[in-house]
Amino acid sequence: AQSVTQLGSHVSVSEGALVLLRCNYSSSVPPYLFWYVQYPNQGLQLLLKYTSAATLVKGINGFEAEFKKSETSFHLTKPSAHMSDAAEYFCAADFGNEKLTFGTGTRLTIIP
Amino acid sequence: DTGVSQDPRHKITKRGQNVTFRCDPISEHNRLYWYRQTLGQGPEFLTYFQNEAQLEKSRLLSDRFSAERPKGSFSTLEIQRTEQGDSAMYLCASRRDGDYEQYFGPGTRLTVT
């Protein structure tokens, strides 16, 4: 079955440290992939997308993600965490069926 | 581009009552989606429209749920005879044909007491 898996429901990093949030997909054909961020009691904001062009994708707020077909992964990174990055992050995929399938999310905490 | 808007932002209702939510997509977006998000989970697809046509409904969408997009602009999601299990955040998203990214509204948080 086609699915999205986010390893680590909670991740804590120190301010200024590297942020790494993991996302893997399960599908025989690479999907379109997205990262969204959600602040408390708000909707989802698109951070970045992979739609089969460049495998290294840059997004807003200094985030980037790399699509690796061999690893079926699309991990999200940011070189230096900021307090404002504290939020819930969701990886999502469009498996060619016109809708998004989401992972269960990763809550990012930034330690001052 | 004013973004996707949803109304109301919060709704508290008693079990057994009917509720209706509204979503206004980004003006040039012809595809409109509804998702449901429960606490600690990612959003789950409910249904989507291309213009006024409802193209797919999830099995999550029981007979108590109905969605419409009568003129291909705004959409409504109605839940009849609400149950406590319906308590969730209901998210609306839109996109254009040919684009793949969906843009989400702020959501409607439903609490059924």
Side-chain angles (χ1 to χ4, degrees), chain A residues 32 34 36 38 41-46 49 51 88 90 94 97-105, chain B residues 9 31 33 35 37 40-43 45 48 56 89 91 95 100-107 109:
Chain A
Y32 298 126
F34 308 87
Y36 285 88
Q38 186 176 36
N41 296 313
Q42 295 188 25
L44 281 72
Q45 180 182 9
L46 180 67
K49 62 182 180 182
T51 54
E88 186 95 21
F90 291 96
D94 180 343
N97 54 8
E98 307 286 354
K99 60 195 177 192
L100 294 178
T101 299
F102 285 85
T104 51
Chain B
R9 293 290 308 275
R31 295 193 183 229
Y33 297 77
Y35 292 85
Q37 184 180 24
Q41 299 296 317
F45 169 79
Y48 89 99
E56 185 176 347
M89 174 80 89
L91 294 163
R95 72 172 177 93
Y100 300 102
E101 63 270 28
Q102 296 182 20
Y103 294 90
F104 283 79
R109 180 167 295 284

Side-chain angles (χ1 to χ4, degrees), chain A:
Chain A
Q2 297 168 329
S3 63
V4 176
T5 302
Q6 291 184 242
L7 288 177
S9 58
H10 292 85
V11 171
S12 296
V13 301
S14 298
E15 190 174 14
L18 171 72
V19 175
L20 170 61
L21 304 182
R22 299 178 186 274
C23 173
N24 289 85
Y25 66 88
S26 176
S27 173
S28 57
V29 176
Y32 298 126
L33 292 159
F34 308 87
W35 276 99
Y36 285 88
V37 61
Q38 186 176 36
Y39 298 99
N41 296 313
Q42 295 188 25
L44 281 72
Q45 180 182 9
L46 180 67
L47 281 177
L48 47 78
K49 62 182 180 182
Y50 166 76
T51 54
S52 73
T55 56
L56 182 61
V57 179
K58 295 188 183 300
I60 63 171
N61 301 337
F63 284 94
E64 63 181 38
E66 186 172 9
F67 172 73
K68 292 186 177 180
K69 183 178 179 180
S70 61
E71 299 177 6
T72 62
S73 68
F74 189 56
H75 302 331
L76 181 71
T77 60
K78 182 174 180 177
S80 177
H82 191 273
M83 293 301 294
S84 61
D85 295 328
E88 186 95 21
Y89 291 80
F90 291 96
C91 182
D94 180 343
F95 291 107
N97 54 8
E98 307 286 354
K99 60 195 177 192
L100 294 178
T101 299
F102 285 85
T104 51
T106 297
R107 182 170 299 279
L108 177 64
T109 299
I110 310 299
I111 304 167

